[in-house]
Amino acid sequence: MRPHTPLTPLRARRRVVAALSAALLSAAGVTALPAAARPADATGGPPGPPPAAKAAAPAASAAPRLPDGLARTPPMGFNNWNSTHCGADFNEAMIKGIADIFVEKGLKAAGYAYVNLDDCWAKKERDANGKLVPDPTRFPNGIKAVADYVHSKGLKFGIYTSAGTTTCAQAMPGALGHEYSDARQFADWGVDYLKYDNCNNQGVDAKKRYLTMRDALKATGRPIVYSICEWGENKPWEWAADVGHLWRTTGDISDVWDSMVSIFKANAPLSPYAGPGHWNDPDMLEVGNGGMTDAEYRSHFSLWSMMAAPLLIGADLRKASQATFDILDNREVVALDQDPLGKQAQVLKSEGGRWVLSKPLADGDRAVALFNETDRPQHITTTAKDAGLPQASGYRLRDLWKDENTHTAGEIAGTVPAHGTLLYRVTADRHWAQYPPALDTAAEGVAPIEVGKEVRTATLTRNLGRTPALDVKVDFKGPQGWRVEPVTSTAAHTLPPGKELATAWKISPLAGTRPGPYELTLTTDYRSTRGQRVTLALPFAVTVVQAPPPGTSYASDLTWLSATNGYGPVEKDTSVGGPQAGDGTPITIGGVPYAKGLGAHAPSEITYYTGGKCSAFSAQVGVDDETGDQGTVTFEVWADGQKVAESGRLTGPDPAKAISAAVSGAGTVRLVVQDAGDGFFYDHGDWADAKFTC
């Protein structure tokens, strides 16, 4: 858990302050407040690049692992914080219920072992003997009784405190100065896992704080997994391998896509530091908490497993869907995380939002993830050789989410849906010929379709295997009533190895279709020479557009083609606020409120279709007052790929600045907010009173 940083004096909003989010926030911004002055916790945050994300030192620089044999694979279990925080649901009944579900739903059998408490389990005052006192409302039978119940299920029990005077939610006393007493109390209760946080630490040196608790735990004689939660502020991966069994590398995760991706980017470069008994910890799982789609949660779970991250479930499993259990209980994906070799995946490629990761496994296989962080399908490729596999005549591709086997001559490729991940276990298998050949089907990006018009695109299906694919057929379908018609052949009786089937298509939306995003599905069906049938279905997004009407229109009243944001979603007629949609406040720049406009956070791009029918764009731009006079940004307007206006550098105290641009003849207009070169912290940039003249 990480402390709040108040966004502004105007409102006490819980705001994410990520110590290490990979592609976004500067390290200096993260440490702007001394730890002792930070108020209580929040999660997630405007992302930013830590020193670690730039280059990871070799593994030899890390200290040897603890010689106690604990955490030989990344810990798996549950922690309540992401679903309950300090809410009333966090109590004895919940913890016992989670233990029951672990057994009943097969999660224990899958490897989930720890049932852990987070902040707010104790009273705010110690007793007369200086001991911690469980909250009698939440835990009327005490902590030992709960630990005993968890143990009775064959599971392990974990607890939380902070290396400070109080915990992050300021709900209970911290362990600073009480390490040996608290460790003894934990051991007497039967604690198997300690999460040791970083709040209100009074400026005591981080290594000293965490070493003291390590020694206190060791002195109890009880084997206790030690989780260092200092958010990566002091690069624990460089010094903590002989202090704790795992260490947080980032600020808190939150249940939104941008937070998860930024934390992945921060943790991914640290692979040299992970191994049996000493793990990089990118924070708990959000799977099942409701802020992302199931496809996004599959990506989250895939990436954490590839990174050999601790798998601590953050959802209240008493309310979880079957889809959530299906993700958490995918034994083959869990096996990647728990592989005894203990290697964190390496990033082979990352450009344009296309990621390739490879993880060596104990049996000589490689796990390969093709991850698409963007909001449109992306074609991603690598090879078995690049993934680290030996030369072979063929390779088995095991799709761990589809439970399917195919073979390839060496290329690993696929069109990955928006925010999706293809996850393979790849084997240099001399029996590769018993599996169907892998086919790689891709489509050109489908251009925006103006209401009442037609667009053309093409699909390409290629045989990656060493045996022919037979009776190959492709089909492209749109929503009910749309016309999606082939212009060239959609079938091949035989598709030899390395050959391809190209098909041209024309697409016409149903008359009266409203502007907005729609989904088409490309299906490829074929059989192997052994008679095995394979069907591939890929979703593709297409946007129906309409040029703005004649006259003047507010940008917030129009439908954009696409919108990306450095933190949370772009908002209409409010500031960007926090990580959730609709959590902003009225746009205010330099004390002046604006009823209309767009709230963004650098880096941000908002693209509108103008269809050559608009002549001008104008807005009042600046940093929203909610930042408390912090943040520095620049604004740019681009028409068909040409920059046509820019604001120059604007800071939090600056009044709004008028910006206008001639956009005559442009098919699209893109509104860009950039960081001004000093990191993205507090960079809430507003397009107030934004208008198109058409």
Side-chain angles (χ1 to χ4, degrees):
M1 175 186 347
R2 177 165 180 99
H4 285 301
T5 296
L7 190 55
T8 87
L10 302 176
R11 59 184 179 132
R13 174 182 300 279
R14 284 199 166 193
R15 178 63 186 275
V16 177
V17 183
L20 293 170
S21 323
L24 302 166
L25 164 68
S26 71
V30 173
T31 56
L33 291 176
R38 293 187 180 115
D41 169 296
T43 59
K54 298 174 183 175
S61 65
R65 65 175 181 267
L66 290 170
D68 55 18
L70 295 177
R72 296 291 299 170
T73 58
M76 296 175 60
F78 168 84
N79 179 292
N80 65 281
W81 183 256
N82 288 350
S83 56
T84 69
H85 294 83
C86 292
D89 279 352
F90 173 44
N91 54 36
E92 180 176 314
M94 177 194 197
I95 300 304
K96 289 182 175 180
I98 296 297
D100 293 341
I101 289 170
F102 268 26
V103 176
E104 294 164 5
K105 288 287 191 175
L107 294 176
K108 174 186 171 184
Y112 295 91
Y114 293 94
V115 180
N116 297 346
L117 312 183
D118 212 284
D119 206 344
C120 305
W121 60 264
K123 293 178 68 173
K124 290 190 175 183
E125 297 83 24
R126 294 175 181 270
D127 68 13
N129 297 316
K131 297 291 187 179
L132 295 166
V133 181
D135 183 309
T137 301
R138 296 184 191 275
F139 297 98
N141 296 302
I143 298 301
K144 188 176 188 308
V146 179
D148 288 347
Y149 186 86
V150 171
H151 291 150
S152 75
K153 299 290 181 177
L155 300 167
K156 297 181 179 181
F157 178 75
I159 207 161
Y160 163 99
T161 189
S162 182
T165 49
T166 58
T167 58
C168 287
Q170 297 181 333
M172 57 188 240
L176 192 65
H178 296 266
E179 291 89 346
Y180 282 84
S181 173
D182 288 355
R184 181 72 265 165
Q185 198 169 0
F186 297 154
D188 291 345
W189 284 341
V191 166
D192 305 297
Y193 182 112
L194 173 65
K195 174 183 174 182
Y196 201 38
D197 219 333
N198 194 33
C199 291
N200 308 303
N201 57 52
Q202 308 306 315
V204 177
D205 177 75
K207 294 181 186 179
K208 183 177 186 300
R209 297 195 309 272
Y210 288 96
L211 278 167
T212 302
M213 181 54 84
R214 177 201 68 177
D215 294 343
L217 292 172
K218 184 177 179 181
T220 68
R222 182 176 179 82
I224 298 176
V225 170
Y226 184 26
S227 169
I228 293 173
C229 184
E230 59 86 79
W231 323 315
E233 286 194 335
N234 298 281
K235 300 183 182 179
W237 48 89
E238 294 183 352
W239 52 264
D242 64 346
V243 180
H245 301 96
L246 57 153
W247 47 80
R248 281 280 294 281
T249 57
T250 72
D252 279 10
I253 193 170
S254 58
D255 189 22
V256 291
W257 177 255
D258 289 341
S259 172
M260 187 277 288
V261 171
S262 68
I263 285 178
F264 157 70
K265 290 179 179 179
N267 193 73
L270 301 179
S271 58
Y273 297 98
H278 56 286
W279 306 103
N280 295 315
D281 178 9
D283 204 8
M284 298 170 285
L285 296 169
E286 291 285 4
V287 176
N289 276 325
M292 292 183 259
T293 66
D294 288 338
E296 290 170 337
Y297 283 139
R298 282 191 291 274
S299 287
H300 179 15
F301 197 71
S302 297
L303 295 173
W304 262 232
S305 295
M306 289 290 288
M307 294 191 297
L311 299 180
L312 294 177
I313 298 166
D316 186 344
L317 295 175
R318 299 171 302 172
K319 306 171 185 177
S321 68
Q322 186 56 49
T324 293
F325 286 108
D326 290 344
I327 293 169
L328 296 172
D329 193 28
N330 186 320
R331 306 289 175 93
E332 292 188 271
V333 179
V334 168
L336 304 185
D337 181 82
Q338 296 292 295
D339 186 77
L341 190 61
K343 293 289 189 179
Q344 179 174 323
Q346 291 185 314
V347 176
L348 302 184
K349 287 195 256 183
S350 62
E351 65 176 358
R354 300 181 299 274
W355 294 77
V356 178
L357 292 87
S358 174
K359 176 180 170 68
L361 303 173
D363 65 357
D365 289 356
R366 291 275 173 155
V368 175
L370 309 181
F371 167 54
N372 174 16
E373 72 167 289
T374 74
D375 59 1
R376 63 188 184 280
Q378 293 261 39
H379 190 248
I380 305 177
T381 68
T382 189
T383 66
K385 179 181 178 181
D386 288 346
L389 285 152
Q391 181 65 39
S393 59
Y395 302 86
R396 182 184 68 158
L397 289 180
R398 171 104 180 127
D399 188 317
L400 301 187
W401 288 111
K402 291 184 179 178
D403 189 23
E404 292 178 351
N405 292 310
T406 55
H407 83 265
T408 175
E411 187 174 357
I412 303 167
T415 297
V416 186
H419 293 185
T421 302
L422 299 182
L423 188 60
Y424 297 107
R425 189 172 187 126
V426 189
T427 307
D429 189 342
R430 61 191 179 92
H431 302 295
W432 56 264
Q434 67 182 289
Y435 308 113
L439 295 196
D440 174 25
T441 301
E444 290 180 355
V446 181
I449 308 175
E450 192 166 348
V451 172
K453 295 187 178 180
E454 175 187 286
V455 70
R456 296 205 175 201
T457 190
T459 61
L460 192 69
T461 300
R462 189 161 48 99
N463 186 346
L464 304 182
R466 289 199 176 277
T467 59
L470 307 179
D471 299 331
V472 180
K473 298 176 183 177
V474 294
D475 191 19
F476 218 174
K477 290 191 180 298
Q480 183 70 32
W482 283 38
R483 291 176 57 201
V484 183
E485 299 174 350
V487 178
T488 59
S489 175
T490 62
H493 176 67
T494 301
L495 192 62
K499 299 301 181 181
E500 56 194 32
L501 169 65
T503 306
W505 306 82
K506 56 183 180 181
I507 304 170
S508 303
L510 179 68
T513 298
R514 297 175 60 85
Y518 295 86
E519 187 173 281
L520 292 83
T521 302
L522 176 63
T523 303
T524 304
D525 185 82
Y526 65 102
R527 65 181 176 86
S528 72
T529 54
R530 291 170 170 255
Q532 301 146 308
R533 293 221 69 89
V534 181
T535 301
L536 307 173
L538 294 171
F540 285 88
V542 62
T543 304
V544 175
V545 295
Q546 188 169 32
T552 299
S553 300
Y554 285 108
S556 58
D557 292 337
L558 303 174
T559 300
W560 54 57
L561 271 179
S562 64
T564 62
N565 220 33
Y567 179 55
V570 174
E571 300 284 5
K572 294 185 175 183
D573 301 330
T574 72
S575 70
V576 77
Q580 304 295 337
D583 61 2
T585 58
I587 293 172
T588 309
I589 305 172
V592 178
Y594 296 86
K596 303 292 290 181
L598 303 170
H601 183 104
S604 175
E605 294 190 4
I606 311 163
T607 303
Y608 285 90
Y609 177 77
T610 48
K613 297 180 180 178
C614 297
S615 59
F617 170 82
S618 64
Q620 300 288 323
V621 297
V623 179
D624 197 278
D625 286 353
E626 69 181 351
T627 66
D629 289 344
Q630 301 185 70
T632 52
V633 297
T634 61
F635 295 81
E636 302 169 357
V637 181
W638 294 70
D640 282 350
Q642 297 294 317
K643 188 192 296 184
V644 291
E646 59 184 324
S647 67
R649 185 175 182 270
L650 296 174
T651 68
D654 292 335
K657 181 175 182 178
I659 188 171
S660 60
V663 297
S664 294
T668 60
V669 173
R670 184 161 48 101
L671 310 179
V672 177
V673 185
Q674 299 277 26
D675 162 54
D678 59 355
F680 306 124
F681 201 42
Y682 288 111
D683 283 354
H684 287 208
D686 294 335
W687 297 90
D689 205 29
K691 301 173 185 174
F692 286 94
T693 301
C694 306

